[in-house]
Amino acid sequence: MTTLTVRRDTPGARRKRTHRGGAGSRIWDATPLTKVMLAFTIIVSAFPIYWMIVIASRTNSDAVDIPPPLLPGGNLGENIVRVLNDPDAQFLTGLTNSAIVAVSVTVSVVIISTMAGFAFSRLRFRGSRVLLLAVLLTMMVPIQQMGVVPLYRLMVELEWTGQLKAVILPYLLNAFGVFLMTQYTEQAVPGELVEAARVDGASTLRIWWNIVLPAVRPGMAVLGINTFMITWNDFMWPLIVLAGNPTVQVAIRNLNAQHSTDYVMIFTGTTLSVLPLIVVFLVFGRQIIGGLMEGAVKA
Amino acid sequence: MSLHTEYSGPHAQARSGPQVAAPPPRNSRHAAPGAARRFLSWLDLKAAPYLLVSPYFLLFAIFGLFPLGFTLWYSLFDYELTGEQEWVGLGNYSELLADDQFWKVVVNTLAMFVIATVPQLLLALMLANALNKRFRGQLFVRMGVLLPLVTSVVAVAVVFTHLYGRDWGMVNWLLGLFGIDPIDWKAERLPAWLAVSTMVDWRWTGYNAIIFLAGMQTIPRDLYEAAEIDGASKRRQFWQITIPMLRPTIIFVVLNSTIGGLTLFAEPMMFYGGRIQGGSDNQFQTVAMFIVEKAFSNFQYGYASAAAWLLFLMILIGSAINFMLIRRIGGRK
């Protein structure tokens, strides 16, 4: 906890630094070598995605051509139709299911974490230290992998297998979210502000709603984007518990298992599954990166 | 922060007021009897915090404590396909320790963890160092670096598996240009480990670089300027200033990578066409895949649960070792 308090004032310090220019800071200019390295990194980062789209827009004979094709073809539209209409893959179901799961988990995790984060950072109550420690410890435990057998049997008992709530509910447990929002609230909501509102007669829940929520909105956005991506990408648990009612990741796996040589079909499905995330990323890139970096320094 | 100014008025009044406990007069229109109201506000003060943390801990009990506890409980039983269960004590654990497949998947997991993580973190540090320089189009470059993260694990695995195809994969084609014979990436352990590790690295290097970059930006630049005046080389500055000052961030990233690396699942599974065995002879099956295979293909719930606890033990030991290693690196300044 002490390291966290020390770091709280660093954004200010950083801002000051960027204002300082002058000859002394020329050591910070990127050398040509650095620029080449960065350009190379971007090419490596983008290439598999680009190539995925190339194959998705071509035919199966192109996909196994030597040398491999490097430019997109004109078959993307018909490939998409073919994927969406494939009865085995249930691709549309997968996309819809993933959207429902990811949105429900994201909204709930953000609310739950914001509530708990407020309590841990700005309210005094008996046992708060022990409870916060419990949160921190669970961050170290991969519960989804470790507890997979009892969780599955629980879902069987409840007759929830194949239903989306079997995937949504376990993922509402998110220790990182509580931790992040505790840090964020501590930094964004001054303690005096809460005290002042209390003196004015505001109840705790009212303070949470009217003062804390507006102030921690950036933190909520970071946590929300993070949670959305993790949930959208989750694979192991939906694969186990959602037989016959896949999320999009499981749908791709099914495509892969059933049409193992129909590369175009698999790649088109993969493209469709990645597209929503890339669109979100292109629109909110600045916020995602800003939030990621802020969260990293605070964590 | 605008809130602060907005509330500074009442706040200032409150500070100057003599007694905080006295109910402010403006609330008197609520006309509740003083005692009941005081009780309510006492209740609010005492109970509301628990109300706020209760959703999390309710979930924690059901989806955290319950599965962990029951995994331990299950691991002490032998489950038959018929649904019968028999108490075997630590039998599952001793059986696991004598199981060749288990040791194989442990070695696979550790090997892929090391092959993936060590170069990845070094690359991420170099990349972060480059990103920390001044150049145009910063946002664009950072987004480019982070792009792999927003693809899905399964998508990455599908694309890379095709790239690593034996007969018409692009990697073998490229190697062929240099006169290297095609490699059957899935057939042998080492090539398979390398292939899976590159999937992990492609996805996570940029992310870790951005995290390191965030840490680097909190290091006071005066340190570098002073070192520059003293004539320290760039390499020396990196190892003597950046690395020690970055220690908390490195610990964060390494612990994260340890958990992620030791629970690796989707990439090796998709590399074998979405099947759980991880190769014809389990060449690249991981512990997480082993657990799922035992539990959901063989219905050996007890055996799988014991493996889950051993995996947890691996994570704890791995985290502890990494933590101590990094502390030593930082202490060398």
Side-chain angles (χ1 to χ4, degrees), chain B residues 163-181:
Chain B
L163 289 175
Y164 281 111
R166 188 189 55 193
D167 301 321
W168 40 69
M170 196 179 285
V171 176
N172 275 348
W173 172 70
L174 279 174
L175 290 177
L177 295 184
F178 295 97
I180 300 172
D181 286 336

Side-chain angles (χ1 to χ4, degrees), chain A residues 17 28-30 44-45 51 63-64 67 126 138 146 150 152-153 193 198-199 204 233 249 253 263 270 277, chain B residues 7 24 44-45 50 60 63 67 71 79 133-134 144 150 152 154-155 162 168 170 173 202 217 221 274 296 312:
Chain A
R17 228 179 294 127
W28 293 104
D29 286 338
V44 171
S45 294
W51 197 65
V64 295
R126 198 172 295 233
T138 41
M146 270 205 69
Y152 177 74
R153 302 201 67 185
L193 192 58
R198 204 181 280 294
V199 170
T204 307
N233 277 325
Q249 309 300 338
R253 184 254 169 196
Y263 295 112
T270 311
L277 290 179
Chain B
Y7 273 85
D44 176 58
L45 209 60
Y50 294 104
F60 178 63
F63 299 111
T71 305
Y79 284 79
K133 296 286 191 291
R134 201 161 43 206
V150 302
S152 74
V154 177
H162 193 267
W168 40 69
M170 196 179 285
W173 172 70
W202 181 75
Q217 294 193 334
R221 295 208 162 183
F296 303 107
F312 184 47

